[in-house]
Amino acid sequence: MKSSATTSVATRCGRVLRLLGHLAVGVFIIATRYSRLAQAERAVVTRRWAQHALKILGVSIKVQGINPGFYPPNTLLVANHVSWLDIIALNSCTVSRFVAKREIRDWPLIGWLAYAAGTLFIDRGNRRDASRVNQILAEAMQNGGCMAVFPEATTSDGSGLLPFKASLFEAALLAGGTVQPVSLRYQRPDGSLLLEAAYIDEISLLQSMGKVLSVPEIEIEICYGKPLKAGDAGLDNRFLLAEAARGEVARGLRLTLESPAASACQATSETGA
Protein backbone atom coordinates (compact mmCIF):
# COMPACT_ATOMS: atom_id res chain seq x y z
CA MET A 1 0.00 0.00 0.00
CA LYS A 2 1.31 3.42 -0.88
CA SER A 3 1.86 5.76 2.04
CA SER A 4 -0.13 8.47 0.25
CA ALA A 5 -3.32 6.35 0.12
CA THR A 6 -6.17 7.81 2.14
CA THR A 7 -9.73 6.85 2.89
CA SER A 8 -12.65 8.41 1.04
CA VAL A 9 -14.80 11.10 2.62
CA ALA A 10 -17.68 8.62 2.80
CA THR A 11 -15.51 6.12 4.70
CA ARG A 12 -14.36 8.76 7.16
CA CYS A 13 -17.89 9.97 7.79
CA GLY A 14 -19.06 6.39 8.29
CA ARG A 15 -16.31 5.73 10.79
CA VAL A 16 -17.12 8.91 12.69
CA LEU A 17 -20.81 8.05 12.96
CA ARG A 18 -20.10 4.51 14.08
CA LEU A 19 -17.48 5.70 16.56
CA LEU A 20 -19.88 8.26 18.04
CA GLY A 21 -22.48 5.53 18.46
CA HIS A 22 -19.94 3.25 20.10
CA LEU A 23 -18.81 6.06 22.39
CA ALA A 24 -22.44 6.61 23.41
CA VAL A 25 -22.67 2.93 24.34
CA GLY A 26 -19.57 3.32 26.51
CA VAL A 27 -20.99 6.39 28.23
CA PHE A 28 -24.25 4.55 28.91
CA ILE A 29 -22.48 1.51 30.40
CA ILE A 30 -20.24 3.60 32.64
CA ALA A 31 -23.09 5.86 33.76
CA THR A 32 -25.54 3.06 34.56
CA ARG A 33 -23.82 -0.13 35.67
CA TYR A 34 -20.01 -0.06 35.37
CA SER A 35 -19.43 0.88 39.02
CA ARG A 36 -21.56 -2.06 40.18
CA LEU A 37 -19.59 -4.66 38.27
CA ALA A 38 -16.88 -6.79 39.83
CA GLN A 39 -13.37 -6.05 38.56
CA ALA A 40 -13.29 -9.17 36.39
CA GLU A 41 -16.60 -8.16 34.79
CA ARG A 42 -15.33 -4.62 34.20
CA ALA A 43 -12.29 -6.04 32.45
CA VAL A 44 -14.47 -8.11 30.11
CA VAL A 45 -16.63 -5.09 29.24
CA THR A 46 -13.57 -2.87 28.73
CA ARG A 47 -11.79 -5.34 26.46
CA ARG A 48 -14.87 -5.90 24.30
CA TRP A 49 -15.46 -2.15 23.96
CA ALA A 50 -11.82 -1.55 23.01
CA GLN A 51 -11.79 -4.34 20.44
CA HIS A 52 -14.90 -2.99 18.74
CA ALA A 53 -13.56 0.58 18.75
CA LEU A 54 -10.43 -0.58 16.94
CA LYS A 55 -12.51 -2.46 14.39
CA ILE A 56 -14.50 0.70 13.63
CA LEU A 57 -11.26 2.64 13.09
CA GLY A 58 -9.82 0.02 10.75
CA VAL A 59 -7.14 -0.98 13.26
CA SER A 60 -5.85 -4.54 13.58
CA ILE A 61 -3.66 -5.89 16.36
CA LYS A 62 -0.62 -8.10 15.88
CA VAL A 63 0.63 -9.65 19.14
CA GLN A 64 4.23 -10.70 19.71
CA GLY A 65 5.58 -12.30 22.87
CA ILE A 66 3.56 -13.79 25.71
CA ASN A 67 0.48 -11.92 26.86
CA PRO A 68 0.53 -12.02 30.70
CA GLY A 69 -3.23 -12.44 30.79
CA PHE A 70 -6.33 -10.44 30.29
CA TYR A 71 -6.09 -8.81 33.77
CA PRO A 72 -2.83 -9.99 35.41
CA PRO A 73 -2.73 -9.33 39.18
CA ASN A 74 -0.09 -7.22 40.94
CA THR A 75 1.29 -6.00 37.64
CA LEU A 76 2.62 -2.65 36.46
CA LEU A 77 2.35 -2.52 32.69
CA VAL A 78 4.73 0.00 31.08
CA ALA A 79 4.70 0.98 27.41
CA ASN A 80 6.03 3.54 24.98
CA HIS A 81 3.57 6.32 24.18
CA VAL A 82 2.62 7.27 20.62
CA SER A 83 -1.08 8.03 20.39
CA TRP A 84 -4.41 8.39 22.17
CA LEU A 85 -5.03 5.00 20.55
CA ASP A 86 -2.45 3.40 22.86
CA ILE A 87 -4.90 2.91 25.73
CA ILE A 88 -7.55 1.37 23.49
CA ALA A 89 -4.98 -0.92 21.85
CA LEU A 90 -3.56 -2.13 25.17
CA ASN A 91 -7.01 -2.68 26.66
CA SER A 92 -7.98 -4.81 23.66
CA CYS A 93 -5.41 -7.38 24.86
CA THR A 94 -4.51 -6.73 28.50
CA VAL A 95 -6.91 -4.61 30.52
CA SER A 96 -5.36 -2.11 32.93
CA ARG A 97 -6.11 0.99 34.93
CA PHE A 98 -4.01 3.84 33.61
CA VAL A 99 -2.10 6.77 35.02
CA ALA A 100 -2.57 9.91 32.93
CA LYS A 101 -1.53 13.54 33.13
CA ARG A 102 -3.87 15.77 35.11
CA GLU A 103 -4.87 17.84 32.05
CA ILE A 104 -6.78 14.92 30.53
CA ARG A 105 -9.25 15.06 33.42
CA ASP A 106 -10.47 18.39 31.99
CA TRP A 107 -11.09 17.10 28.46
CA PRO A 108 -14.80 17.19 27.56
CA LEU A 109 -16.44 13.78 28.00
CA ILE A 110 -13.18 11.85 27.53
CA GLY A 111 -11.88 13.16 30.86
CA TRP A 112 -15.03 12.03 32.64
CA LEU A 113 -14.94 8.64 30.94
CA ALA A 114 -11.32 8.15 31.94
CA TYR A 115 -12.07 9.12 35.54
CA ALA A 116 -15.15 6.89 35.76
CA ALA A 117 -13.16 3.97 34.32
CA GLY A 118 -10.62 4.24 37.15
CA THR A 119 -7.81 6.31 35.61
CA LEU A 120 -5.44 7.92 38.11
CA PHE A 121 -4.34 11.47 37.31
CA ILE A 122 -0.91 12.85 38.13
CA ASP A 123 0.40 16.40 38.13
CA ARG A 124 3.55 16.05 36.05
CA GLY A 125 4.68 19.52 37.11
CA ASN A 126 4.67 18.56 40.80
CA ARG A 127 7.30 15.99 41.73
CA ARG A 128 5.70 15.44 45.14
CA ASP A 129 2.53 14.20 43.46
CA ALA A 130 4.39 11.08 42.32
CA SER A 131 4.58 9.90 45.93
CA ARG A 132 0.80 10.13 46.31
CA VAL A 133 0.19 8.25 43.06
CA ASN A 134 2.80 5.61 43.93
CA GLN A 135 0.97 4.80 47.15
CA ILE A 136 -2.34 4.45 45.31
CA LEU A 137 -0.73 2.36 42.56
CA ALA A 138 0.97 0.05 45.04
CA GLU A 139 -2.21 -0.49 47.03
CA ALA A 140 -4.20 -1.23 43.86
CA MET A 141 -1.55 -3.71 42.69
CA GLN A 142 -1.43 -5.47 46.06
CA ASN A 143 -5.21 -5.83 45.84
CA GLY A 144 -4.84 -7.74 42.58
CA GLY A 145 -4.90 -4.87 40.13
CA CYS A 146 -3.13 -4.38 36.82
CA MET A 147 -1.99 -0.76 36.49
CA ALA A 148 -0.41 0.90 33.46
CA VAL A 149 1.89 3.89 32.92
CA PHE A 150 3.66 5.55 30.01
CA PRO A 151 7.07 6.30 31.56
CA GLU A 152 8.23 8.50 28.67
CA ALA A 153 5.71 11.01 30.15
CA THR A 154 4.89 12.32 26.67
CA THR A 155 4.22 11.02 23.17
CA SER A 156 6.68 10.47 20.32
CA ASP A 157 6.31 9.60 16.64
CA GLY A 158 7.20 5.96 17.37
CA SER A 159 10.50 5.94 15.48
CA GLY A 160 12.52 6.17 18.70
CA LEU A 161 12.22 5.77 22.45
CA LEU A 162 12.51 8.62 24.93
CA PRO A 163 14.15 8.17 28.35
CA PHE A 164 11.90 6.60 30.97
CA LYS A 165 10.96 8.57 34.08
CA ALA A 166 11.72 6.31 37.01
CA SER A 167 9.34 7.81 39.57
CA LEU A 168 6.30 5.55 39.15
CA PHE A 169 8.40 2.38 39.10
CA GLU A 170 8.58 2.83 42.87
CA ALA A 171 5.01 1.49 43.05
CA ALA A 172 6.15 -1.91 41.78
CA LEU A 173 8.81 -2.07 44.49
CA LEU A 174 6.33 -1.07 47.19
CA ALA A 175 3.89 -3.73 46.02
CA GLY A 176 6.50 -6.42 45.35
CA GLY A 177 4.90 -6.69 41.92
CA THR A 178 5.84 -7.50 38.36
CA VAL A 179 6.73 -4.91 35.73
CA GLN A 180 5.48 -5.96 32.30
CA PRO A 181 7.18 -4.05 29.45
CA VAL A 182 5.09 -3.62 26.30
CA SER A 183 6.11 -2.16 22.94
CA LEU A 184 3.62 -0.41 20.65
CA ARG A 185 4.55 -0.06 16.99
CA TYR A 186 2.14 1.59 14.54
CA GLN A 187 2.63 0.29 11.04
CA ARG A 188 1.02 -0.29 7.68
CA PRO A 189 0.02 -3.79 6.53
CA ASP A 190 3.37 -4.05 4.73
CA GLY A 191 5.22 -3.48 8.02
CA SER A 192 6.44 0.05 7.30
CA LEU A 193 6.27 2.57 10.14
CA LEU A 194 3.07 4.64 10.27
CA LEU A 195 3.52 8.21 11.50
CA GLU A 196 -0.05 9.45 11.04
CA ALA A 197 -1.19 7.94 14.35
CA ALA A 198 1.33 9.92 16.43
CA TYR A 199 -0.27 12.49 18.70
CA ILE A 200 2.56 15.04 18.68
CA ASP A 201 3.58 18.57 17.67
CA GLU A 202 0.82 20.37 19.58
CA ILE A 203 -1.93 19.15 17.25
CA SER A 204 -5.42 19.00 18.74
CA LEU A 205 -7.22 15.77 19.53
CA LEU A 206 -9.66 16.41 16.68
CA GLN A 207 -6.80 16.97 14.25
CA SER A 208 -5.15 13.76 15.41
CA MET A 209 -8.40 11.83 15.01
CA GLY A 210 -8.75 13.23 11.50
CA LYS A 211 -5.30 11.89 10.58
CA VAL A 212 -6.15 8.46 11.98
CA LEU A 213 -9.47 8.36 10.13
CA SER A 214 -7.68 9.15 6.86
CA VAL A 215 -5.58 5.95 6.99
CA PRO A 216 -7.25 2.96 5.28
CA GLU A 217 -5.62 0.32 7.48
CA ILE A 218 -3.57 0.58 10.65
CA GLU A 219 -1.74 -2.31 12.23
CA ILE A 220 -0.53 -2.01 15.82
CA GLU A 221 2.14 -4.48 16.76
CA ILE A 222 1.96 -5.15 20.51
CA CYS A 223 5.08 -6.89 21.75
CA TYR A 224 5.20 -8.20 25.32
CA GLY A 225 8.73 -8.20 26.70
CA LYS A 226 10.24 -10.25 29.50
CA PRO A 227 8.41 -9.68 32.82
CA LEU A 228 10.59 -8.04 35.48
CA LYS A 229 10.15 -8.97 39.14
CA ALA A 230 10.57 -5.82 41.23
CA GLY A 231 13.10 -6.32 44.01
CA ASP A 232 15.09 -9.10 42.34
CA ALA A 233 18.86 -8.73 42.02
CA GLY A 234 19.62 -5.92 39.61
CA LEU A 235 16.03 -4.71 39.84
CA ASP A 236 16.00 -3.48 43.42
CA ASN A 237 15.62 0.25 42.79
CA ARG A 238 13.40 2.31 40.54
CA PHE A 239 16.19 3.46 38.21
CA LEU A 240 17.37 -0.09 37.50
CA LEU A 241 13.78 -1.18 36.94
CA ALA A 242 13.15 1.71 34.57
CA GLU A 243 16.27 1.01 32.53
CA ALA A 244 15.56 -2.72 32.32
CA ALA A 245 11.98 -2.03 31.22
CA ARG A 246 13.17 0.50 28.64
CA GLY A 247 15.59 -2.07 27.24
CA GLU A 248 12.76 -4.58 26.83
CA VAL A 249 10.51 -2.02 25.15
CA ALA A 250 13.36 -1.02 22.81
CA ARG A 251 13.91 -4.65 21.82
CA GLY A 252 10.23 -4.96 20.98
CA LEU A 253 10.52 -1.87 18.77
CA ARG A 254 13.70 -3.23 17.18
CA LEU A 255 15.70 -0.24 18.41
CA THR A 256 19.26 0.02 19.70
CA LEU A 257 19.63 2.21 22.78
CA GLU A 258 22.58 4.28 23.92
CA SER A 259 25.34 2.65 25.95
CA PRO A 260 24.61 1.50 29.52
CA ALA A 261 27.02 4.14 30.82
CA ALA A 262 25.05 6.90 29.14
CA SER A 263 21.82 5.46 30.48
CA ALA A 264 23.23 5.33 34.00
CA CYS A 265 24.27 8.97 33.78
CA GLN A 266 20.76 9.92 32.69
CA ALA A 267 19.22 7.94 35.54
CA THR A 268 21.39 9.47 38.24
CA SER A 269 20.63 12.97 36.95
CA GLU A 270 16.89 12.40 37.36
CA THR A 271 16.71 13.83 40.86
CA GLY A 272 13.38 13.63 42.59
CA ALA A 273 11.77 11.73 39.69
Side-chain angles (χ1 to χ4, degrees):
M1 179 182 294
K2 295 181 179 180
S3 61
S4 59
T6 59
T7 57
S8 66
V9 173
T11 297
R12 294 179 212 178
C13 289
R15 285 181 175 179
V16 168
L17 291 174
R18 292 171 62 200
L19 190 60
L20 287 173
H22 189 54
L23 185 60
V25 171
V27 170
F28 177 79
I29 292 173
I30 288 179
T32 59
R33 62 187 180 92
Y34 194 78
S35 63
R36 299 197 302 270
L37 298 176
Q39 185 55 65
E41 294 173 313
R42 291 186 188 185
V44 170
V45 170
T46 299
R47 185 168 64 170
R48 286 177 179 171
W49 189 93
Q51 289 172 340
H52 192 59
L54 294 178
K55 183 178 180 180
I56 290 172
L57 292 168
V59 177
S60 61
I61 299 294
K62 179 180 179 182
V63 176
Q64 303 280 3
I66 300 175
N67 188 329
F70 118 100
Y71 192 74
N74 202 6
T75 297
L76 182 68
L77 188 149
V78 299
N80 60 306
H81 200 10
V82 178
S83 171
W84 50 270
L85 276 171
D86 295 348
I87 292 175
I88 303 175
L90 289 170
N91 273 338
S92 73
C93 296
T94 301
V95 178
S96 307
R97 289 176 61 197
F98 286 82
V99 176
K101 60 183 181 180
R102 185 185 60 182
E103 292 81 358
I104 292 178
R105 179 66 180 90
D106 298 325
W107 287 8
L109 186 59
I110 293 177
W112 174 80
L113 282 172
Y115 171 77
T119 298
L120 301 177
F121 297 96
I122 185 171
D123 183 357
R124 293 288 187 184
N126 182 359
R127 288 180 176 177
R128 293 182 179 179
D129 199 41
S131 177
R132 174 187 67 86
V133 174
N134 270 323
Q135 292 295 330
I136 297 173
L137 278 174
E139 182 177 350
M141 290 171 62
Q142 287 174 324
N143 289 332
C146 178
M147 311 302 291
V149 300
F150 297 112
E152 290 173 292
T154 188
T155 52
S156 72
D157 66 6
S159 62
L161 188 63
L162 299 172
F164 278 11
K165 304 294 184 182
S167 57
L168 296 182
F169 284 85
E170 187 68 27
L173 292 166
L174 292 172
T178 297
V179 174
Q180 175 61 64
V182 184
S183 309
L184 297 169
R185 187 178 194 273
Y186 288 75
Q187 56 193 32
R188 301 182 187 279
D190 64 4
S192 60
L193 189 66
L194 177 74
L195 300 179
E196 286 89 335
Y199 187 23
I200 56 174
D201 298 333
E202 304 300 324
I203 64 173
S204 69
L205 180 60
L206 287 177
Q207 288 173 320
S208 178
M209 291 184 69
K211 293 175 69 174
V212 168
L213 290 168
S214 72
V215 182
E217 295 179 80
I218 297 176
E219 182 177 272
I220 305 177
E221 183 178 87
I222 298 180
C223 182
Y224 292 95
K226 181 180 69 174
L228 307 171
K229 179 62 178 177
D232 279 358
L235 301 172
D236 53 1
N237 70 61
R238 60 185 181 179
F239 298 108
L240 293 173
L241 262 178
E243 283 303 304
R246 185 168 181 253
E248 286 297 310
V249 172
R251 273 188 281 277
L253 295 173
R254 301 185 285 279
L255 297 175
T256 300
L257 297 180
E258 68 273 15
S259 67
S263 297
C265 290
Q266 187 279 329
T268 55
S269 68
E270 191 188 333
T271 59

